[in-house]
RNA sequence: GCCCACGUAGCUCAGUGGUAGAGUUCUUGCAUGGUAAGCAAGCGGUCACCAGUUCAAUCCUGGUCGUGGGCUCCA
């Protein structure tokens, strides 16, 4: 037998006989690796472990620890699920079943919709399949034969896919089977079904065939799988943790906001939620002032002609609300930019004035499909911390840089240390020349590169008038949330007739940057609620201090203290209820109030306060002045 | 918008083809308290809405509205 040399990721080389399988290679490297090996890479290409070596190559054995290993593992899990479904519901037709982030799914067309009880049955059947310990076997088939095979099996979705590949000139396809189940699949797969010990089916949902809303609605079953039971448990715990933080639940518990049938997707802010809103607004307003933004207020409803001129009617109509006033057509603003342009246009501008920065906490309305509404995260009206920077082209990059730095600083201030950046490029529905788009996109990249910020591209996800930088904040359980944007717009100023007089005495068209930092105030508050799980830091807590008199005798003492604390701008209230101390503490604790002040005879006589912290419990007695100092010390934003 | 599930007291939820229950909140008594629930009574519901089936519907059927999970990650 001829010898060949494989090179492992650490650079070491090993000799094997031609025809040695990767499984054997794994065994020769180590027992433990062989036990955990799921697949392998030959010269960077992912393959089954059963693949045999034909020539010298770079080899990497894949375990669950690698992203490729996870994908192989979960993709195989989806096949095992499909096999279980086949046994339970023999007439099922199969679409696709890929691995996804944190799990897998498979799309089926079933005769009767699947129920949650069906999930349990499918899980049990999967367990049986795992215990049957069938090997995954790969074979090649001529595409025409495969089409016939799947036609005979009445699997139209597979046939549709293969007919497309055939039209593209593909000649063969690969087929995998494990036990009594055969599926079209490019693989690779785990060697044997018995590898899949730790899995869980999570939910059933509808999903359109090929994501096209005009086509067949399929049943999608979501699941997840891990190599080790311990990791599955940890993942399920994380899901539980996320559920506990759900802002819709906490918002109700803390009486922050509500939704009503009378206005689906339109949030109602209750007094305590309005405080959160106002705190954020004040932070942004103060920072805007420092950056020389000029705050304005513009109308909610404006004549439709403006929206035709701006391009919104043509490109954003589906998301807009329309109305009629005195037999003329009006639209409810989905964005603030045209209004700001009207303000800009209201007077003549010299190049010496630029950049002009106009900001607004603008309430915009956007029609969203009923099925996508989701608490504060997806609403039909929301307040943007919006601003538009009108500048000369040569100022553009510096202004973008300032917007980015500003955005990052705010995130840090309110508690998000980490954020991720994307550039979203030209979408299908858009206005402006290719040249302008390229130019604008290049400017965004330049600015990010100057700041040394890594970014990823999101193709075709820009606004209709220009590309955007998207900022995603990462919360404390590592979820990403899209918040702010910085967008460059070469179109709208021209379309709406904006000009400035240059040093050459001629009229020029300014460039416009659209920027928002929190994005939607509503959404951002939702994110903060989940990030902090409702346990807001002192600066954000709607009620910062609760005074708890033990007996009616201390009520006046409490009122007196309340007044002093209020004069210090501390948000304070008193629990006057005729209840025992333990009861009142419990209530405050459940309301997640940072500080409780217990007031009894002792405190009243000694003119002291007994402090209890939400997190640390009883802090002992203090005098009023020290308590105020303690609050002031803790009541600061990050890195102010 | 589409698919599936859900909608019972302010809140969290049981329940039944014969017009409803618990805990909590709230009100009122009693208890006058020391760091996460004192005792008792009471108030509170057109069982989302509209039709239909039925002697009888909160329950069954259909529709409407709302809520939830999805509908991007291409064998």
């Amino acid at each position: 037998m001829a010898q060949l040399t494989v090179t492992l990721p650490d650079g070491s080389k090993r000799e094997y006989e031609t025809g040695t399988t990767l499984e054997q290679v794994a065994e020769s490297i180590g027992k433990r690796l062989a036990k955990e090996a799921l697949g392998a890479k030959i010269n960077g290409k992912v393959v089954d472990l059963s693949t045999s070596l034909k020539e010298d190559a770079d080899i990497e054995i894949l375990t669950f620890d690698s992203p490729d290993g996870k994908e192989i593992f979960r993709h195989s899990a989806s096949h095992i699920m499909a096999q279980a479904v086949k046994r339970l519901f023999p007439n099922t037709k199969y679409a696709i079943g890929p691995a996804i982030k944190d799990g897998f799914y498979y799309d089926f067309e079933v005769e009767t919709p699947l129920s949650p009880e069906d999930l349990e049955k499918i899980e049990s059947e999967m367990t049986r399949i795992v215990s049957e310990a069938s090997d995954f076997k790969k074979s090649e088939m001529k595409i025409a034969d495969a089409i016939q095979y799947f036609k005979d099996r009445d699997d139209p979705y597979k046939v549709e896919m293969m007919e497309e590949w055939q039209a593209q000139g593909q000649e063969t396809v690969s087929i995998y089977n494990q036990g009594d189940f055969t599926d079209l699949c490019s693989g690779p797969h785990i060697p044997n079904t018995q590898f899949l010990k730790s899995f869980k089916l999570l939910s059933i949902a509808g999903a359109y065939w090929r994501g096209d809303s005009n086509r067949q609605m399929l049943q999608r079953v979501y699941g997840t799988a891990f190599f080790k039971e311990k990791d599955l448990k940890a993942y399920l715990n994380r899901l539980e943790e996320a559920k506990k933080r759900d802002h819709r639940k906490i918002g109700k518990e803390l009486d922050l906001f509500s939704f009503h049938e009378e206005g689906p997707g339109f949030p109602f802010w209750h007094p305590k939620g309005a405080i959160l809103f106002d705190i954020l607004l004040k932070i942004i307003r103060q920072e805007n002032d420092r950056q020389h933004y000029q705050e304005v207020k513009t109308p909610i409803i404006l004549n439709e002609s403006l929206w035709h001129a701006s391009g919104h009617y043509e490109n954003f109509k589906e998301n807009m609300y329309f109305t009629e006033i005195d037999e003329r057509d009006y639209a409810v603003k989905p964005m603030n930019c045209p209004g700001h342009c009207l303000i800009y246009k209201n007077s003549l501008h010299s190049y010496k004035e630029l950049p002009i920065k106009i900001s607004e906490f603008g309430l915009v309305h956007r029609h969203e499909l009923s099925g996508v509404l989701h608490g504060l995260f997806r609403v039909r009206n929301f307040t943007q911390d919006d601003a538009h920077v009108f500048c000369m082209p040569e100022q553009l990059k510096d202004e973008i840089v300032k917007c980015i730095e500003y955005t990052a600083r705010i995130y840090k201030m309110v508690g998000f240390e980490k954020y991720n950046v994307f550039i979203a490029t030209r979408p299908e529905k858009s206005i402006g020349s290719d040249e302008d788009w390229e130019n604008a996109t290049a400017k965004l990249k330049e600015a990010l590169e100057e700041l040394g910020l890594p970014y990823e591209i999101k193709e075709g996800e820009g606004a209709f008038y220009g590309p955007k930088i998207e900022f995603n904040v990462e919360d404390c359980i590592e979820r990403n949330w899209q918040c702010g944007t910085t967008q460059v717009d070469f179109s709208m100023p021209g379309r709406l007739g904006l000009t400035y007089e240059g040093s050459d005495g001629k009229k020029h068209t300014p460039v416009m940057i659209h920027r928002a930092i929190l994005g939607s105030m509503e959404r951002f508050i939702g994110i903060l609620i989940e990030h902090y799980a409702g346990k807001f830091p002192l600066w954000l807590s709607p009620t910062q201090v609760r005074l708890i008199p033990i007996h009616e005798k201390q009520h006046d003492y409490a009122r007196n203290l309340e007044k002093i604390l209020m004069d210090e701008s501390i948000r304070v209230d008193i629990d006057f209820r005729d209840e025992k101390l333990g009861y009142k503490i419990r209530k405050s604790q459940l309301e997640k109030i940072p500080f409780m002040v217990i007031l009894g005879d002792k405190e009243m006589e000694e003119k002291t306060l007994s402090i209890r912290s939400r997190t640390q419990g009883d802090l002992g007695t203090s005098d009023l002045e020290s308590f105020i100092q303690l609050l002031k010390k803790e009541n600061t934003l990050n890195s102010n």
Side-chain angles (χ1 to χ4, degrees), chain A residues 546 548 575 577 583-593 596:
Chain A
R546 168 151 302 158
I548 304 180
D575 189 342
R577 279 180 299 188
Y583 178 89
K584 296 199 213 182
I585 286 175
R586 180 174 159 78
K587 290 293 168 191
S588 296
Q589 209 57 58
L590 291 174
E591 285 180 57
K592 306 188 201 304
I593 295 169
M596 285 156 255

Side-chain angles (χ1 to χ4, degrees), chain A residues 32 75 78 85 135 153 169-170 213 334 370 378 398 535 563 632:
Chain A
R32 180 146 171 229
H75 179 197
S78 107
V85 169
D135 283 339
R153 222 175 78 167
Q170 191 172 326
S213 55
S370 60
R378 197 83 179 267
D398 285 348
K535 294 178 199 124
K563 187 176 178 306
K632 296 235 154 123

Side-chain angles (χ1 to χ4, degrees), chain A residues 235-401:
Chain A
Y235 176 75
L236 295 176
N237 282 340
R238 228 180 78 197
L239 290 184
E240 282 299 311
E241 178 59 24
K243 222 173 172 180
K244 275 189 226 153
R245 288 167 180 268
D246 192 315
H247 73 280
R248 294 166 299 186
K249 181 170 163 278
I250 293 175
K252 204 182 263 182
E253 286 166 359
L254 300 186
D255 196 19
L256 302 174
F257 59 86
S258 60
F259 286 92
H260 302 272
E261 278 200 27
E262 290 81 352
F266 300 116
F268 286 66
W269 289 100
H270 296 198
K272 285 177 186 156
I275 290 174
L276 299 178
F277 199 104
D278 192 48
I279 291 166
L280 290 177
L281 189 143
K282 280 180 178 150
I283 292 170
I284 298 292
R285 179 172 281 151
Q286 182 185 320
E287 294 301 309
N288 277 349
D289 288 347
R290 286 186 187 169
Q291 308 262 338
H292 304 294
Y293 283 81
Q294 297 173 291
E295 188 171 331
V296 301
K297 293 191 191 304
T298 64
I300 302 267
I301 300 175
L302 292 165
N303 194 287
E304 207 182 283
S305 61
L306 177 67
W307 305 103
H308 282 278
S310 67
H312 284 85
Y313 189 87
E314 200 187 328
N315 293 283
F316 210 69
K317 191 173 53 173
E318 279 69 40
N319 287 296
M320 289 172 67
Y321 295 110
F322 295 93
T323 186
E324 201 179 275
I325 302 172
D326 292 343
E327 291 166 34
R328 284 168 192 270
D329 294 325
Y330 282 77
V332 182
K333 69 175 177 185
M335 296 188 196
N336 304 299
C337 28
H340 292 185
C341 286
L342 292 183
I343 291 178
Y344 179 94
K345 255 176 75 170
N346 201 52
S347 53
L348 292 176
H349 295 288
S350 152
Y351 71 96
K352 293 176 190 166
E353 290 175 64
L354 301 181
I356 290 174
K357 305 176 180 179
I358 296 182
S359 70
E360 176 173 9
F361 295 96
L363 177 64
V364 297
H365 289 69
R366 295 182 185 177
H367 179 69
E368 301 286 355
L369 293 179
S370 60
V372 308
L373 300 177
H374 182 95
L376 294 174
F377 288 165
R378 197 83 179 267
V379 289
R380 284 180 171 159
N381 82 352
F382 57 97
T383 310
Q384 292 179 310
D385 61 326
D386 204 3
H388 296 93
V389 178
F390 299 93
C391 66
M392 295 184 278
E394 52 271 36
Q395 295 172 317
L396 185 56
K397 196 207 66 201
D398 285 348
E399 290 305 316
I400 298 170
V401 168

Side-chain angles (χ1 to χ4, degrees), chain A residues 513-530:
Chain A
I513 300 171
H514 307 240
R515 59 111 270 214
I517 293 176
L518 308 181
S520 147
M521 307 275 294
E522 285 76 358
R523 183 180 157 78
F524 201 84
I525 292 170
I527 296 165
L528 283 170
I529 292 170
E530 302 212 356

